[in-house]
Amino acid sequence: MRGLTCSTLFGLIAVTGLRINEALRLDQTDLDIETGVLRVRFGKLGKERLLPLDPTVAQKLESYGRERDRLTTIAAGSNCSAKTGKLWA
C-alpha cells in the first residue's frame, strides 16, 4: 500500500506542481473525475484554486482510489466502515 500511495502522490505533485502540503490535505471530494478538475482548498496563503487535470492523471487517481479502498477493506476485514475521506491512505 505504501508504495502505491507514494508513487501516486509524487506523480501527482510532479505533473500538477502542487506543494506537498496541498497534496497531503486533499480528500476524495476534491477530485471531480467527470470534469477532470482537482480542487485545492488549502493553497498558499489559504487560497483555493482549481487545477485542470489531464485525463490520464484523473484516471490514475481514480484507479488509485479503487485499489486503496480494496486494500484497506481487506486489511480491516469485512466490517470496514471507518473511511476517513482522505485521498491518501
Side-chain angles (χ1 to χ4, degrees), residues 13-72:
I13 289 168
V15 300
T16 61
L18 284 172
R19 294 169 183 86
I20 292 173
N21 195 39
E22 292 172 337
L24 291 174
R25 294 183 78 177
L26 293 172
D27 65 30
Q28 294 176 10
T29 61
D30 293 328
L31 177 62
D32 186 346
I33 294 294
E34 292 179 15
T35 61
V37 173
L38 184 66
R39 181 176 59 143
V40 180
R41 291 177 292 131
F42 303 103
K44 190 174 183 180
L45 303 175
K47 293 185 179 183
E48 182 175 312
R49 68 183 191 277
L50 300 176
L51 291 176
L53 298 175
D54 185 90
T56 59
V57 175
Q59 290 170 355
K60 287 284 189 185
L61 289 174
E62 183 179 34
S63 66
Y64 164 78
R66 282 194 310 269
E67 184 66 6
R68 180 209 53 226
D69 291 345
R70 184 184 75 79
L71 291 173
T72 55

